[in-house]
């Protein structure tokens, strides 16, 4: 168990495509455990490995209504709805700021769980938003990239650090 430092927006690891995981070995299991501990510690909804400086395709997330954490290795979007919504969004790598990001209303994602089994997740609303945000991280894209201008970022003064961010 370890709490890992979450890197910030100026770190190049957040802007490069992460590598696929070839073997889900003990080092990957340890990374997953540490990512879960870190996400819980900072009250995040989701965390992608590049955010802890590891350029691998591993994400974890747990929505407020979820009883368990979901682990996705090498996630890929296989389907997306035609319609989208503007959604309020924040990232653990940019604490204190939020912005309105256009996200597909529903998506289907496939990937492997930590046992290596191929799984598919279909989500809408917050789940669809989290899946899109995390797959963006895997592809070196951050939510700020979706804003027309950095001026569209909104500074949050009184929010607990990380709370509700992805
Ligand atoms: Ni993020």
């Amino acid at each position: 168990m370890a709490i890992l430092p979450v890197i910030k927006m100026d770190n190049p690891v957040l802007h490069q495509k992460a590598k696929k995981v070839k073997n889900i070995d003990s080092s990957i299991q340890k990374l997953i455990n540490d990512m879960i501990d870190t996400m819980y510690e900072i009250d995040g909804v989701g965390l992608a490995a590049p955010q802890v400086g590891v350029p691998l395709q591993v994400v974890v997330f747990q929505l407020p209504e979820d009883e368990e954490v979901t682990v996705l290795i090498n996630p890929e979007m296989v389907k997306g709805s035609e319609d989208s919504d503007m959604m309020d969004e924040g990232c653990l790598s940019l604490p204190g700021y939020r912005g309105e990001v256009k996200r597909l209303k529903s998506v289907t994602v496939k990937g492997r769980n930590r046992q290596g089994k191929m799984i598919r997740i279909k989500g809408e609303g917050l789940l669809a938003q989290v899946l899109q945000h995390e797959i963006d991280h895997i592809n070196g894209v951050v939510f700020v990239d979706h804003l027309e201008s950095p001026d569209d970022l909104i500074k949050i003064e009184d929010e607990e650090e990380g709370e509700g961010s992805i």
Side-chain angles (χ1 to χ4, degrees):
M1 298 235 314
I3 309 295
L4 306 171
V6 175
I7 63 173
K8 301 295 187 276
M9 280 297 167
D10 57 352
N11 193 307
V13 175
L14 284 177
H15 307 281
Q16 69 191 43
K17 192 170 161 66
K19 289 197 177 75
K20 273 198 190 312
V21 173
K22 291 199 181 109
N23 300 307
I24 306 171
D25 58 16
S26 59
S27 71
I28 297 295
Q29 297 294 350
K30 181 178 187 320
L31 171 66
I32 291 167
N33 290 338
D34 291 349
M35 285 173 61
I36 294 168
D37 290 343
T38 303
M39 178 177 73
Y40 287 161
E41 174 71 18
I42 57 182
D43 288 327
V45 172
L47 190 66
Q51 292 182 279
V52 292
V54 178
L56 288 173
Q57 297 189 11
V58 178
V59 308
V60 300
F61 63 87
Q62 184 165 358
L63 307 194
E65 66 266 30
D66 289 349
E67 283 177 14
E68 285 183 0
V69 64
T70 300
V71 175
L72 269 179
I73 298 166
N74 303 337
E76 272 176 63
M77 199 188 297
V78 289
K79 217 164 128 188
S81 60
E82 282 177 16
D83 40 354
S84 48
D85 276 328
M86 294 302 288
M87 298 188 82
D88 174 57
E89 196 160 312
C91 180
L92 295 166
S93 296
L94 191 62
Y97 290 89
R98 298 186 71 86
E100 291 268 314
V101 179
K102 194 176 180 182
R103 293 295 187 190
L104 302 178
K105 277 189 175 180
S106 73
V107 294
T108 304
V109 168
K110 70 171 183 181
R112 293 191 186 275
N113 67 11
R114 64 186 305 174
Q115 285 79 36
K117 189 177 169 234
M118 189 60 85
I119 54 172
R120 263 174 190 259
I121 299 172
K122 185 171 184 202
E124 53 186 35
L126 178 61
L127 177 54
Q129 181 185 21
V130 169
L131 288 167
Q132 288 168 84
H133 185 108
E134 299 306 353
I135 288 178
D136 272 355
H137 273 307
I138 292 304
N139 290 315
V141 175
V142 290
F143 85 104
V144 180
D145 297 337
H146 294 295
L147 303 177
E148 277 181 28
S149 149
D151 298 340
D152 293 339
L153 279 174
I154 297 155
K155 181 113 179 74
I156 306 295
E157 302 289 353
D158 55 354
E159 191 185 30
E160 292 271 323
E161 187 173 343
E163 194 180 348
S165 289
I166 25 188

